[in-house]
Structure formats: C-alpha cells, structure tokens
Amino acid sequence: LFPNWRQIEIKFQKLCNGELDRTLRFECFDWDSDGSENYIGSFDITLRQIQNLIGRKSEVQLINQQKAKKKKKSYKNSGTILFTKCEIIQEPSFIEFIRGGCEFNLMVAIDFTQSNGNPNNPTSLHYMNPYKDNYYIKAIKAVGEILSNYDTDKLFPTFGFGAKMKVSDK
C-alpha cells in the first residue's frame, strides 16, 4: 500500500494547545471494503519535529508494538509516513486588526418580517414591551456597545427589511 492522503487543516490550538513541543500520537489503520479496519502502527512526534522533517524527505516509522514483540529483532516497521507539508498560518485577532489600522463601521439591519410572530403578541421576538427590551434590542445593544467604540465616524446606519407599510390616503 502506498496511500496519498489529502491535506487536512486543523486549528493550532486544537491540535496541540498551541504548543510546538507537545507530543502528538498518530495511529494508522488499513480500512477494508467490508467496513473493518486493521491497525498498522503508530508513532509519537511533535509539531516542531514535523516542521523539521519537511523538505528532508525523512520518513517516520509506523510501529506496531504487538508485531514488534512477536518478531523481535527481525521487525523493522509496519510502514512509513512522509510529511510533505506543514504550515502554521497566523489568523489575526480583532485587536490585531485594530492595531494594524483597520477601520470599522457599525451598521444595523432589523428584521421586520412576521416570521417571528406578531409584534403585539408578548410571545413574539418582536414584541415591544414597554418595561424591558426584547431579544432583538438586547442583541443590538450588546454588539453595538462594543463595536461603536471602534467605529471611525460614530455614525450608525440602520436598515430595516421585510416591513409592510400601511398606505394612507394623505
């Protein structure tokens, strides 16, 4: 077997908790068409070691401990893995965008459709309770209070959609 696996992407934090020297365990299985799988072997390695292997054409040995115990000195490995690419891509945080000079403008869009019920009905998400804010108002305030601090012009365009206007005779 000479499988060529497709590239995968995984968050650095999820893979190794952001630690280049945290040990990772790779286990390799052979999948059969009947749905069963056979254990081939495994190896332990760090992300830093993987990065050092890239470009060197150095292979990592898959070791099956059970086979190694049975065959003893005649056992070499159950296969090898060649890493061909390993990239750590930095994704800037919100603060890094701000520090980098990125400008923000807060815009608000309000859903006036009837999909959430009649605004005169207290069970509707649109209900305008005179004594407390509904969920739409709470969400706009929660996000707006934070993002308004980063808005460059302090103007907040607001749009509505889905409303049916009453036609008057005037």
Side-chain angles (χ1 to χ4, degrees):
L1 298 174
F2 295 99
N4 187 7
W5 289 292
R6 63 179 169 78
Q7 180 175 310
I8 62 166
E9 291 183 20
I10 187 167
K11 297 279 185 188
F12 184 48
Q13 191 68 27
K14 187 174 182 179
L15 177 66
C16 59
N17 201 31
E19 301 171 33
L20 284 173
D21 295 313
R22 178 172 276 207
T23 301
L24 306 171
R25 164 145 301 172
F26 286 80
E27 295 182 332
C28 188
F29 293 84
D30 178 27
W31 180 81
D32 295 324
S33 58
D34 67 0
S36 64
E37 44 187 49
N38 302 313
Y39 177 71
I40 296 175
S42 65
F43 61 91
D44 295 334
I45 195 166
T46 68
L47 194 55
R48 188 181 311 276
Q49 290 170 325
I50 292 171
Q51 288 179 311
N52 290 334
L53 291 174
I54 304 300
R56 292 186 183 177
K57 302 277 188 208
S58 297
E59 296 178 338
V60 181
Q61 295 186 22
L62 284 167
I63 304 298
N64 185 322
Q65 293 297 335
Q66 290 179 339
K67 284 185 179 180
K69 285 179 186 175
K70 285 180 187 176
K71 294 183 179 182
K72 298 186 181 180
K73 290 184 180 182
S74 67
Y75 180 79
K76 184 178 177 184
N77 63 50
S78 293
T80 59
I81 299 287
L82 174 66
F83 288 93
T84 58
K85 185 176 180 181
C86 178
E87 289 181 305
I88 298 175
I89 300 170
Q90 297 281 31
E91 293 180 352
S93 69
F94 181 77
I95 295 300
E96 289 170 324
F97 276 112
I98 300 290
R99 287 184 184 147
C102 186
E103 295 183 357
F104 289 87
N105 291 106
L106 173 62
M107 291 184 220
V108 178
I110 301 171
D111 177 2
F112 288 111
T113 63
Q114 291 291 318
S115 63
N116 291 316
N118 185 333
N120 296 319
N121 183 336
T123 62
S124 168
L125 293 175
H126 292 283
Y127 180 62
M128 297 299 291
N129 185 330
Y131 304 106
K132 68 177 190 174
D133 294 339
N134 64 30
Y135 290 112
Y136 277 100
I137 294 172
K138 286 179 184 178
I140 292 169
K141 280 184 177 180
V143 174
E145 286 174 0
I146 294 168
L147 295 182
S148 64
N149 294 312
Y150 302 100
D151 191 291
T152 53
D153 63 9
K154 301 295 185 217
L155 300 173
F156 314 117
T158 305
F159 304 93
F161 63 93
K164 291 186 180 178
M165 306 299 290
K166 289 185 179 179
V167 179
S168 68
D169 294 334
K170 297 179 186 179

